[in-house]
């Protein structure tokens, strides 16, 4: 009789403590998520500091332009411009891919690739050169117009 009572008592305590355990689980999960988010923000901020002053040329695997960019444009870019290639959703870069992905996500002037961005005073500045590039590639507009835009942005 005493054993049955003890089993019922333990079961009752377990049933009563389950909601408390669930609440603590979600509190811990929330705190862990906040720490993870804070870590990402800190990491992003550190990347901005480390890459201060760098300029980037970004292009993707669009069939009609990839080879043209690689053959006719990349070698003419200023030497201090870093190249970022987006192969589908995969970022091909020597830089932190999570940082680059977030930078892409934050673009405000995005109008398709190719695209330029630079880090200045801890902020990302960006510019679409899509229109100028395709005018040069498809309509035989002067390459100088595109190169002037690139050089002006990088300065």
């Amino acid at each position: 009789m005493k054993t049955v009572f003890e089993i019922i008592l333990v079961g009752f305590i377990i049933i009563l403590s389950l909601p408390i355990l669930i609440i603590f689980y979600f509190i811990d999960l929330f705190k862990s998520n906040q720490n993870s988010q804070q870590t990402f923000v800190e990491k992003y901020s550190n990347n901005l500091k480390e890459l201060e002053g760098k300029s980037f040329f970004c292009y993707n695997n669009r069939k009609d332009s990839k080879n043209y960019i690689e053959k006719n444009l990349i070698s003419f870019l200023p030497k201090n411009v870093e190249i970022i290639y987006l192969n589908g959703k995969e970022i091909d870069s020597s830089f932190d891919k999570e940082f680059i992905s977030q930078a892409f996500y934050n673009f405000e002037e995005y109008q398709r690739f190719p695209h330029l961005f630079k880090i200045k005073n801890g902020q990302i500045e960006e510019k679409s050169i899509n229109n100028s590039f395709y005018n040069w590639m498809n309509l035989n507009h002067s390459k100088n117009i595109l190169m002037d835009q690139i050089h002006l942005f990088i300065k």
Side-chain angles (χ1 to χ4, degrees), residues 23 66 104 113 120-121:
I23 289 170
K66 178 186 179 294
F104 286 170
F113 290 102
K120 184 177 177 184
N121 299 323

Side-chain angles (χ1 to χ4, degrees), residues 13-15 21 33 46 65 73 76 86 97 106 134 142:
I13 291 171
I14 289 173
I15 291 172
L21 291 174
N33 191 24
N46 287 338
S65 62
L73 182 60
F76 294 97
L86 187 61
K97 289 171 181 37
N106 291 336
Y134 283 100
S142 172

Side-chain angles (χ1 to χ4, degrees), residues 6-154:
E6 289 173 350
I7 292 173
I8 292 173
L9 183 62
V10 168
F12 186 68
I13 291 171
I14 289 173
I15 291 172
L16 286 177
S17 63
L18 269 176
I20 295 169
L21 291 174
I22 291 171
I23 289 170
F24 280 124
Y25 171 77
F26 283 112
I27 288 172
D28 186 52
L29 188 65
F30 178 74
K31 285 181 181 178
S32 173
N33 191 24
Q34 277 187 322
N35 289 340
S36 173
Q37 183 66 23
Q38 185 178 17
T39 302
F40 174 77
V41 170
E42 289 171 1
K43 187 176 176 183
Y44 187 82
S45 177
N46 287 338
N47 275 310
L48 283 174
K49 289 175 187 171
E50 287 175 23
L51 300 175
E52 177 68 33
K54 290 210 178 279
S55 298
F56 301 86
F57 173 81
C58 313
Y59 71 109
N60 62 0
N61 62 344
R62 186 171 166 179
K63 290 179 185 178
D64 64 340
S65 62
K66 178 186 179 294
N67 290 337
Y68 197 82
I69 288 171
E70 291 173 348
K71 288 180 183 176
N72 300 301
L73 182 60
I74 288 181
S75 62
F76 294 97
L77 292 173
K79 299 295 180 210
N80 63 332
V81 173
E82 305 291 342
I83 307 298
I84 297 175
Y85 173 63
L86 187 61
N87 188 8
K89 292 185 178 185
E90 185 67 30
I91 296 171
D92 184 7
S93 170
S94 59
F95 299 98
D96 184 291
K97 289 171 181 37
E98 191 177 20
F99 170 76
I100 299 298
S101 177
Q102 188 64 37
F104 286 170
Y105 181 76
N106 291 336
F107 283 171
E108 293 178 4
E109 296 183 26
Y110 175 73
Q111 298 170 357
R112 300 195 180 123
F113 290 102
H115 206 85
L116 300 170
F117 79 93
K118 65 183 175 182
I119 301 171
K120 184 177 177 184
N121 299 323
Q123 299 291 318
I124 291 180
E125 295 179 13
E126 40 104 11
K127 177 173 184 56
S128 174
I129 55 169
N130 178 275
N131 193 33
S132 298
F133 171 75
Y134 283 100
N135 284 340
W136 168 53
M137 187 177 99
N138 296 326
L139 302 176
N140 296 321
H141 286 196
S142 172
K143 182 179 182 180
N144 291 337
I145 295 171
L146 174 64
M147 294 309 295
D148 287 347
Q149 279 187 335
I150 292 170
H151 286 281
L152 186 63
F153 178 78
I154 290 171

